[in-house]
DNA sequence: CGCTTAGTTCAATGTTTATTGAACAAAGGA
DNA sequence: TCCTTTGTTCAATAAACATTGAACTAAGCG
């Protein structure tokens, strides 16, 4: 539980598959928009249900895209941006640059975050 | 049949999902390595079976990643690099740069091309 | 201690995906 | 015209994926 792959074990196919889903791409966008502020699962509640979020965030964690750290009753989610960039230079940055501009797949009001 | 999405209909999630598969990422790598030479389905035969190639190449075509053009008894496959770059700048280039370096998922001898 | 907030686990369900092999179609060369 | 090469279609199948809701755990607060 809460296993994070080592940098050298991060796989490009797995990263792309993990981001090839509207909910997870929206999570990526939210995380990228909020650099500095740590987000927790509850911050993504407008995207889907609690248990479904557990599922999607676990997929991103297992792919090596996010780091999840328990903090009291919550889990702080952060991007492993430097890790992915060192392993696959430019890939995550390019995706983020485009994902940030994307409208939220769940209504024009966005996800509520910034 | 042989429907290609218009540039403005190309979707980032769909592209990432299409490339989040070892066979399709290998096809992308082969195409990127062979700029100048047009490839046909048969050039990917070391990756999987004929009918499975039809399936994977159709997915890439429907995602807007490749253009497929009949030519005699074959189909010439080419990357829609400029199209994707105009829609999602940098994304495909970054993925290609990393995919090219990737070992073929099907044996150290690579795919036989190049 | 009891309540609330945050998130997980689990089983169930329906959908999509990947893969196979056999049968088929279409173009080109001998 | 027959044969070969190239690729498609189709049905079947197994596996992976996404989604739900109910039950649960764990931490913090009053």
């Amino acid at each position: 539980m809460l296993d994070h792959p080592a940098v050298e074990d991060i796989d490009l196919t797995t990263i792309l598959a993990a981001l090839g889903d509207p909910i997870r791409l929206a999570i990526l966008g939210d995380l990228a928009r909020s650099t500095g502020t740590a987000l927790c699962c509850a911050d993504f509640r407008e995207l889907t249900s609690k248990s479904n979020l557990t599922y999607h965030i676990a997929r991103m964690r297992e792919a090596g895209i996010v780091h999840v750290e328990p903090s009291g009753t919550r889990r702080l989610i952060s991007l492993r941006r430097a890790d992915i960039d060192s392993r696959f230079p430019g890939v995550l940055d390019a995706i983020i640059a485009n994902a940030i501009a994307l409208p939220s797949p769940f209504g024009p009001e966005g996800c509520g975050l910034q």
Side-chain angles (χ1 to χ4, degrees), chain A:
Chain A
M1 204 245 230
L2 286 205
D3 235 37
H4 295 80
V7 183
E8 61 269 22
D9 291 331
I10 296 179
D11 173 60
L12 185 54
T13 308
T14 308
I15 288 187
L16 299 178
L19 295 179
D21 173 277
I23 290 186
R24 296 192 292 263
L25 202 56
I27 291 175
L28 178 73
D30 288 349
L31 287 170
R33 265 186 292 268
S34 75
T35 40
T37 324
L39 296 186
C40 61
C41 299
D43 291 321
F44 306 110
R45 283 308 312 284
E46 35 286 295
L47 294 175
T48 181
S49 68
K50 270 204 305 182
S51 58
N52 196 227
L53 268 184
T54 297
Y55 167 72
H56 284 295
I57 290 173
R59 285 214 51 172
M60 295 179 79
R61 173 177 52 76
E62 286 158 13
I65 296 170
V66 299
H67 182 256
V68 183
E69 203 198 337
S71 162
T73 120
R74 15 191 111 182
R75 310 253 161 141
L76 300 182
I77 323 280
S78 54
L79 275 181
R80 295 182 63 181
R81 208 160 169 166
D83 283 349
I84 299 183
D85 201 59
S86 78
R87 182 120 175 78
F88 302 114
V91 171
L92 192 58
D93 286 345
I95 295 175
I96 283 174
N98 288 277
I100 279 186
L102 246 41
S104 170
F106 309 95
E109 70 289 346
C111 71
L113 290 166
Q114 182 38 271

